[in-house]
Amino acid sequence: MNHGYFHRELPEALADLTDLAFDLRWNNCPAARHLWSRFDPGIWERTENPFLVLQSAHQDQIDAAANDEPLLRELQDWQNEVGEYYSSEPEFRSLDPDHVLKTVAYFSMEFGLSESLPIYSGGLGMLAGDHLKTASDLGVPLVGIGLLYQQGYFRQVIGDSGEQVEAYPFNDPGSLPVRPVAEPDGQWLRVKLPLPGRSLYLRVWEARVGRVRLLLLDSNDSMNTALDRGITAQLYDAGRDKRLLQEIVLGVGGWRLIEQLGLDVDVCHLNEGHAAFAVLARAAAFSQKHGVLLRQAFTATRAGNVFTTHTPVEAAFDRFDAQLLARYARSFLDEVGLPLDELLALGRQNPDDTSEPFNMAWLAMHGCCHVNAVSRLHGEVSRSLFSSLFPRWPQNEVPVRAITNGVHVPTWASRRAAKLWGDETGNHLWLDGLQHVADRILALPPEDIWSFRTVQRQALLEHVWIRYAEQIESDAATKGGTVPDPDAMLDPNVLTIGFARRFATYKRATLLLSDPERLKRLLLDEHRPVQLVVAGKAHPNDGFGKDLVRQMTQFLSQPELRGRAIFLEDYDMVLGQHLVAGVDVWLNTPLRPNEACGTSGMKVLVNGGLNVSVLDGWWDEAVDVDEPDAGDKASLRPGWIVGSREPGSVDEVNRRDAASLFDVLENEVIPEFYDRDADGIPHRWIDRVKASMAQLTPQFSATRMLHEYVEHAYLPAARAYSARAADGAKLAADVRKWIDHVKTHWGHVRIGQVRRCENGDERSVSVDCWLDDIPPEFVRVELYAESQGSTPTSIIELSRSDSLPGAVNGFRFAGSIPGTRPLNDYTARIRPQHPAAFVPIENDCILWEH
């Protein structure tokens, strides 16, 4: 294997392993994980890093593997499956038969693809990694753009008093599954960015994710100053200067990389607002390439930009002081000819408020015509968050649709789960239509499901023991103690609850500790015991979150709870894969509606785990709260609900949810798990497991998610961009002219008399409008009735009937009204209209009758 930094000759029988180790779609699938463990079990158990296994295994182990016939047959089977994957016709061809979409550039600050490439911190990165893998599976033409961090996110150690301690080991590129990207002449490809008084040079690396390329920028180049080399040192650096520079590198540097490589990108997808500077870099490149003004170029490219927001609270949006932005963006702005005040206006709610900081989410909203949240509930929350950018527009018309996240099922399914589903390789079942994937699960007898779940639980506890032994080994040696006996830890026959996530305050990790004595009684019950496996990190600068870690570790470390509860440090992707495969119950207790989606609970579905969750994020749409959790199989919910949708103060909701959590566990979850027949099988529990697996696994798969992105974002964006960019961006110029003209004259538009007439069954409305110098085809006159209870919003377009006598550019608009609602429910309004424009995201003018 030749990595540039590292060269190792492998026997001919194993020569293809190098390519497989570099392939982040395939190197960590269930079959692959089993294979890597056979090369060097010690290294694999410690790292689960295929690349490191090949680098570090002893030569005698490599030679033995090359002569191990069963292993070689297993390797050949795997290679055959991988070969079939690449030679098969990907499903995307049927989704885009007219070849509308050329390439999507997917920008993200983090990517969670494998523990062998630790450039992620949590859910955003996991989602990005699953997005790339699914794009490869479906054949969606996509390239990922990110940063290669020298240290990445921190590694967590738990101190003597239960406190979190952060460590930042160095990510040596020589031990990562990435390769340098070279120029045609063999030089290392570099992207050059202007900074105050200097240039920044960014090295380019490539990781392979099946059919998808992931391009990573790295500032650790000897051409840069010492400070600049550290720009890409840590993921989410706390320093505001470095954080801003990271986002400039990602957005501006990322788009310039696309231009240098000559990639034909028609859709730019921002996974969160961190990369929003890409919308400016894209417009600047378009302006230079097509010889048009920057404003026209911005209008052309905005139609091809997609923004996915993952943020449920406005305080979480990245904001930067205007002076800081001026310092670091000035060179770029001068280079592209964009005045600073115009840039600041794009990142402000009120462009005239010089005290308002620059908001990256506002820039993303202003620079993208296609915006989505990551669950239905988060869509409602996001429309509220962004409503200030669309004054006087009803909140339900704020242009944010919902595309609920999903998970890449082959990544998160254990090998046993894949076999149960009839998809041992992860090559077929989740790659196309999902209509019949659950048929096999529904047909399985209860004893097969129960045996499967028991083996899954036991496998998890074996991994927990290995992990925990490593966690305390050095500490025990230092203090003269001993590592606990595995038999004294957790029991494979006991109901196992998992709680693993970021320890942010809103996730309420310590809701379980609100009644510690009751929790102890549940854990230590002699007849129906429970065991708890907990993991999670707090952000290094989140003092409240770190205190939650300390509270949890101190509680779980009490001697009487040994064997029933454990906290595992340094929650990462490897531990996550084992947890979601083995726990019986996945616990989720965020403060509603602060969880944008929360994909961790989706990962237990394929593995037969059940969710106990607050009605937040994806779970709010996964269960039907209006249907009772009845006794028959058909009416069983696929999990349990904590709390309700009823609003209240934080303290009130915390009290209600804590009480509900304990009631659900004590009166529903635990009894159902231990209610066995004569053969020891909990039939109602198994029925619920089958309902969860069959109903929810396909619904919350990334296959379904990416289908929605293709249908609702990528193809519309590609069509809109193609139309606007054609003929020297003629349509973009027309849209830009329309926007400017309407905004210039909107202040003089007014609504006159509104006549509501009702004659028997005939009902009509006419509206007199004065449009100043705006042509009537530039506007749309409507009647609007907001939703009331189960009655949905109603919008009726009125037709232009007559010119108003004696008026200049005055018209009467009229129409008939259905008899489903009272006439007085409807209010007249005027809004802009253009066949190729996105309203209100490109033109937020609106006028209502008084």
Side-chain angles (χ1 to χ4, degrees):
M1 57 185 298
N2 191 344
H3 183 258
Y5 293 97
F6 180 88
H7 179 75
R8 182 174 198 171
E9 292 291 342
L10 293 175
E12 184 177 352
L14 305 178
D16 290 341
L17 280 177
T18 300
D19 285 339
L20 291 171
F22 271 101
D23 189 339
L24 292 166
R25 164 58 181 88
W26 280 98
N27 74 2
N28 207 27
C29 68
R33 290 200 292 267
H34 178 68
L35 190 65
W36 295 121
S37 67
R38 296 183 60 183
F39 280 92
D40 192 316
I43 294 175
W44 179 253
E45 287 178 359
R46 190 172 185 85
T47 68
E48 296 209 14
N49 182 337
F51 196 70
L52 204 59
V53 168
L54 286 189
Q55 284 187 327
S56 305
H58 292 294
Q59 189 60 44
D60 57 351
Q61 292 172 304
I62 296 291
D63 293 339
N67 293 288
D68 184 335
E69 289 300 326
L71 185 148
L72 293 178
R73 284 195 297 272
E74 193 173 339
L75 173 60
Q76 187 60 55
D77 290 343
W78 182 34
Q79 289 173 313
N80 291 341
E81 291 294 338
V82 174
E84 182 181 344
Y85 174 89
Y86 286 115
S87 62
S88 62
E89 179 85 356
E91 195 207 359
F92 179 72
R93 303 282 173 83
S94 64
L95 302 178
D96 183 22
D98 298 326
H99 304 286
V100 172
L101 183 63
K102 297 175 182 175
T103 306
V104 177
Y106 184 88
F107 287 75
S108 183
M109 279 285 276
E110 51 175 301
F111 289 90
L113 290 155
S114 165
E115 201 53 42
S116 61
L117 186 61
I119 56 171
Y120 68 91
S121 71
L124 183 72
M126 293 294 104
L127 183 279
D130 283 6
H131 197 104
L132 263 59
K133 291 175 182 177
T134 309
S136 170
D137 291 350
L138 300 184
V140 177
L142 184 146
V143 59
I145 306 291
L147 304 180
L148 183 64
Y149 301 97
Q150 287 89 63
Q151 296 173 323
Y153 204 51
F154 73 94
R155 311 304 303 217
Q156 181 195 54
V157 178
I158 300 301
D160 293 343
S161 301
E163 77 280 8
Q164 171 178 291
V165 180
E166 296 90 26
Y168 292 90
F170 176 67
N171 286 338
D172 177 11
S175 64
L176 303 178
V178 295
R179 290 181 167 115
V181 177
E183 299 267 19
D185 62 3
Q187 291 187 69
W188 200 334
L189 178 64
R190 287 176 171 84
V191 174
K192 181 180 175 182
L193 289 185
L195 289 181
R198 64 198 188 279
S199 293
L200 177 68
Y201 296 91
L202 302 166
R203 303 186 298 184
V204 183
W205 303 82
E206 180 176 342
R208 179 183 167 203
V209 188
R211 298 181 176 97
V212 169
R213 301 170 71 189
L214 171 58
L215 301 171
L216 301 168
L217 295 166
D218 160 29
S219 69
N220 189 23
D221 191 301
S222 56
M223 296 280 287
N224 295 325
T225 66
L227 286 176
D228 287 349
R229 292 183 71 170
I231 290 173
T232 57
Q234 295 178 9
L235 174 59
Y236 300 132
D237 196 287
R240 301 312 294 164
D241 291 56
K242 194 173 288 186
R243 182 67 171 266
L244 174 60
L245 285 169
Q246 284 186 345
E247 299 192 4
I248 290 173
V249 166
L250 177 61
V252 179
W255 192 265
R256 290 194 171 182
L257 170 60
I258 289 169
E259 294 293 328
Q260 283 184 226
L261 290 173
L263 301 179
D264 191 6
V265 170
D266 48 357
V267 175
C268 171
H269 185 172
L270 310 180
N271 188 40
E272 249 313 333
H274 309 118
F277 289 121
V279 303
L280 301 174
R282 183 182 192 185
F286 186 97
S287 172
Q288 184 176 18
K289 185 183 299 183
H290 295 274
V292 300
L293 295 176
L294 187 60
R295 283 166 60 84
Q296 182 179 345
F298 188 77
T299 304
T301 55
R302 175 166 58 184
N305 294 338
V306 177
F307 169 40
T308 298
T309 173
H310 296 258
T311 308
V313 290
E314 188 176 334
F317 291 142
D318 273 354
R319 292 177 170 83
F320 297 103
D321 180 77
Q323 285 72 34
L324 186 68
L325 189 67
R327 182 190 314 162
Y328 289 114
R330 178 75 71 181
S331 300
F332 167 70
L333 297 177
D334 290 344
E335 197 173 274
V336 303
L338 179 65
L340 177 63
D341 60 343
E342 291 189 21
L343 170 62
L344 292 172
L346 290 171
R348 284 175 170 162
Q349 176 186 329
N350 179 5
D352 299 323
D353 182 0
T354 57
S355 66
E356 184 181 341
F358 185 85
N359 187 316
M360 294 295 288
W362 290 178
L363 173 60
M365 282 294 291
H366 287 130
C368 299
C369 283
H370 314 270
V371 182
N372 71 277
V374 291
S375 70
R376 289 181 198 166
L377 180 58
H378 183 235
E380 296 174 19
V381 171
S382 297
R383 285 187 285 275
S384 175
L385 287 179
F386 290 110
S387 62
S388 61
L389 297 182
F390 304 93
R392 300 176 301 280
W393 281 84
Q395 188 170 301
N396 66 298
E397 292 188 278
V398 172
V400 181
R401 73 162 55 245
I403 298 179
T404 301
N405 286 342
V407 298
H408 184 250
V409 177
T411 292
W412 301 102
S414 72
R415 193 180 192 197
R416 298 173 193 87
K419 185 176 182 179
L420 192 77
W421 285 82
D423 189 43
E424 291 189 65
T425 64
N427 189 23
H428 302 292
L429 192 62
W430 305 99
L431 305 190
D432 44 38
L434 301 174
Q435 296 88 345
H436 304 293
V437 295
D439 292 350
R440 179 182 172 96
I441 296 298
L442 293 173
L444 287 171
E447 54 269 23
D448 286 5
I449 296 284
W450 185 236
S451 297
F452 157 71
R453 284 299 313 146
T454 301
V455 174
Q456 292 274 93
R457 190 185 316 112
Q458 185 172 14
L460 165 63
L461 299 188
E462 289 172 358
H463 180 79
V464 166
W465 159 242
I466 293 169
R467 187 114 177 181
Y468 188 66
E470 291 177 355
Q471 179 173 319
I472 65 172
E473 206 165 35
S474 60
D475 186 57
T478 302
K479 298 179 179 179
T482 59
V483 177
D485 188 316
D487 294 334
M489 291 184 62
L490 303 178
D491 188 333
N493 294 306
V494 168
L495 173 63
T496 303
I497 297 176
F499 184 93
R501 58 204 354 93
R502 184 163 53 91
F503 269 59
T505 307
Y506 80 87
K507 290 182 180 284
R508 300 189 299 181
T510 54
L511 199 65
L512 271 172
L513 305 187
S514 60
D515 192 341
E517 294 307 313
R518 191 176 182 185
L519 177 57
K520 285 183 181 180
R521 288 198 302 271
L522 295 181
L523 294 172
L524 300 175
D525 188 291
E526 290 185 10
H527 304 291
R528 300 186 309 186
V530 176
Q531 55 197 11
L532 187 60
V533 182
V534 180
K537 299 177 179 180
H539 189 279
N541 298 313
D542 182 1
F544 291 107
K546 292 170 80 168
D547 189 55
L548 296 178
V549 172
R550 182 188 56 77
Q551 292 178 45
M552 182 65 77
T553 56
Q554 288 181 347
F555 177 84
L556 298 183
S557 64
Q558 295 177 78
E560 65 265 37
L561 295 181
R562 176 167 291 178
R564 285 291 175 262
I566 192 169
F567 186 99
L568 295 174
E569 67 185 19
D570 201 29
Y571 180 40
D572 59 12
M573 190 171 177
V574 171
L575 178 56
Q577 286 175 311
H578 285 278
L579 284 173
V580 299
V583 297
D584 298 297
V585 168
W586 191 262
L587 191 60
N588 187 40
T589 56
L591 180 65
R592 190 178 192 270
N594 287 291
E595 185 89 283
C597 185
T599 56
S600 59
M602 299 177 185
K603 296 164 187 170
V604 306
L605 301 173
V606 68
N607 295 294
L610 294 171
N611 282 272
V612 173
S613 178
V614 169
L615 286 166
D616 203 3
W618 75 282
W619 193 243
D620 187 71
E621 63 195 78
V623 292
D624 187 348
V625 298
D626 297 323
E627 290 293 328
D629 193 18
D632 60 307
K633 293 181 184 181
S635 302
L636 272 180
R637 283 181 183 151
W640 290 273
I641 296 169
V642 174
S644 68
R645 291 172 176 153
E646 184 180 347
S649 68
V650 172
D651 288 342
E652 179 186 356
V653 172
N654 283 343
R655 285 193 299 271
R656 287 202 314 252
D657 287 357
S660 172
L661 172 60
F662 280 103
D663 288 345
V664 167
L665 290 175
E666 193 166 12
N667 301 322
E668 299 180 44
V669 178
I670 298 171
E672 191 169 296
F673 182 84
Y674 286 105
D675 181 16
R676 313 287 174 86
D677 67 3
D679 295 323
I681 296 176
H683 283 271
R684 184 175 170 86
W685 182 276
I686 295 304
D687 289 341
R688 198 181 299 273
V689 167
K690 293 174 76 171
S692 171
M693 295 179 79
Q695 296 170 25
L696 301 186
T697 309
Q699 182 182 352
F700 294 100
S701 71
T703 302
R704 184 273 312 155
M705 175 191 74
L706 200 57
H707 273 242
E708 292 188 21
Y709 271 108
V710 168
E711 179 183 354
H712 299 299
Y714 293 166
L715 291 181
R719 291 188 185 99
Y721 170 73
S722 176
R724 290 196 186 182
D727 300 323
K730 181 180 178 181
L731 180 57
D734 181 61
V735 172
R736 183 74 256 172
K737 182 179 178 181
W738 167 79
I739 294 170
D740 293 342
H741 185 84
V742 169
K743 285 182 174 288
T744 298
H745 295 279
W746 196 261
H748 299 286
V749 173
R750 62 189 180 93
I751 294 175
Q753 187 173 3
V754 179
R755 301 172 184 83
R756 294 172 172 84
C757 302
E758 194 163 2
N759 184 9
D761 294 334
E762 295 183 3
R763 296 155 21 115
S764 62
V765 174
S766 65
V767 182
D768 294 345
C769 303
W770 284 265
L771 304 180
D772 193 53
D773 197 30
I774 299 175
E777 60 270 19
F778 280 14
V779 301
R780 177 182 169 113
V781 179
E782 299 173 333
L783 297 177
Y784 178 90
E786 65 184 0
S787 62
Q788 294 180 356
S790 60
T791 304
T793 297
S794 176
I795 301 174
I796 299 172
E797 182 180 4
L798 302 181
S799 301
R800 177 159 48 103
S801 58
D802 303 300
S803 297
L804 296 177
V808 177
N809 213 32
F811 303 92
R812 180 166 294 149
F813 293 78
S816 59
I817 310 300
T820 53
R821 300 186 65 158
L823 272 176
N824 288 332
D825 279 5
Y826 290 92
T827 303
R829 69 181 190 181
I830 308 175
R831 46 159 283 188
Q833 174 177 266
H834 189 289
F838 295 86
V839 177
I841 204 161
E842 292 190 289
N843 192 333
D844 64 352
C845 295
I846 194 166
L847 181 67
W848 298 83
E849 76 167 287
H850 293 296

